[in-house]
Amino acid sequence: MLRTIFLLFLIFALSNASVQDFCVANLKRAETPAGYPCIRPIHVKAKDFVFSLGIPGNTTNIISAAVTPGFAGQFPGLNGLGLSTARLELAPKGVIPMHTHPGASEVLFVLDGYITAGFVSSANSVYVQTLKPGQVMVFPQGLLHFQINAGKSPAAAFVTFSSASPGLQILDFALFANSLPTELVSATTFLDPALVKKLKGVLGGTG
Ligand SMILES: *[C@@H]1O[C@H](CO)[C@@H](O)[C@H](O)[C@H]1NC(C)=O
């Protein structure tokens, strides 16, 4: 008797179970701290869960490097799933300058070439390693880190993040690519004002 009641209850409960399996991003709406609003499941297509990282990014730029992000804004199927991906290209001498992802830890998987990568902990300890193809390095959330091509040939890597929107703050951009006055940058970094002005000129900052 009890068993029958239990089974009936289970069937009833399961028939009403509506699990939110996914929340494919509605990119026409603004992103919130909780991600994008979802499109209705009836409009979800298989291609929403697929993203191409097969095309190398263009490294003809000041850092000789390129990052192709597959975050929720580019890859709607991973909205709300707490992870995302990217592809990294480093031409010879290429560098991804010191930066942080405020919202995510990062795993870097080297596909081609040699990459020297490292991060600085909040205790100010330094962890640097030169990676070869097949090696993976993890960068804990929020810590300043960098990647540099350590070889003479192009390098490439796949990256995954523990957030659909990891965020990106580049240290040199924060210091030299905005309108923060030179005297304040100089006073708060102990860098010579002439050097601050020079770097603002290179990176497009003012003041
Ligand atoms: C790469 O970027 C450079 C500089 O913006 C541009 O001149 C060049 O055409 C681009 N190459 C490709 C293959 O898109």
Side-chain angles (χ1 to χ4, degrees):
M1 179 61 183
L2 259 181
R3 208 178 122 101
T4 313
I5 292 172
F6 176 73
L7 281 176
L8 281 173
F9 173 77
L10 196 66
I11 288 163
F12 178 78
L14 286 178
S15 64
N16 280 279
S18 88
V19 176
Q20 188 89 19
D21 290 322
F22 44 73
C23 171
V24 173
N26 181 349
L27 298 179
K28 295 196 183 101
R29 305 267 304 279
E31 190 175 20
T32 76
Y36 288 90
C38 322
I39 61 173
R40 288 173 48 211
I42 196 167
H43 295 131
V44 171
K45 306 226 163 33
K47 69 176 175 51
D48 293 325
F49 299 105
V50 177
F51 184 73
S52 176
L53 289 175
I55 300 163
N58 188 339
T59 57
T60 308
N61 54 47
I62 187 174
I63 58 174
S64 297
V67 178
T68 309
F71 300 169
Q74 297 82 34
F75 187 177
L78 53 71
N79 184 54
L81 300 185
L83 49 87
S84 59
T85 187
R87 177 182 174 126
L88 186 65
E89 247 66 51
L90 291 161
K93 297 195 163 63
V95 51
I96 305 293
M98 195 72 89
H99 65 282
T100 134
H101 306 286
S105 295
E106 170 178 340
V107 171
L108 177 114
F109 173 86
V110 179
L111 290 170
D112 281 321
Y114 293 85
I115 295 176
T116 297
F119 64 87
V120 182
S121 74
S122 51
N124 209 29
S125 296
V126 175
Y127 302 88
V128 179
Q129 193 76 32
T130 296
L131 309 167
K132 59 186 184 186
Q135 285 191 305
V136 166
M137 184 166 178
V138 62
F139 306 89
Q141 179 167 347
L143 301 184
L144 284 165
H145 61 282
F146 63 87
Q147 289 98 16
I148 296 179
N149 189 329
K152 292 191 164 60
S153 57
F158 280 133
V159 183
T160 52
F161 296 97
S162 62
S163 165
S165 296
L168 168 65
Q169 184 165 39
I170 299 172
L171 182 59
D172 273 9
F173 286 12
L175 293 174
F176 310 118
N178 56 33
S179 60
L180 191 60
T182 294
E183 71 216 51
L184 286 180
V185 178
S186 180
T188 52
T189 61
F190 309 104
L191 293 173
D192 193 81
L195 178 62
V196 173
K197 280 218 181 293
K198 182 181 156 197
L199 287 165
K200 276 178 172 287
V202 173
L203 294 173
T206 56

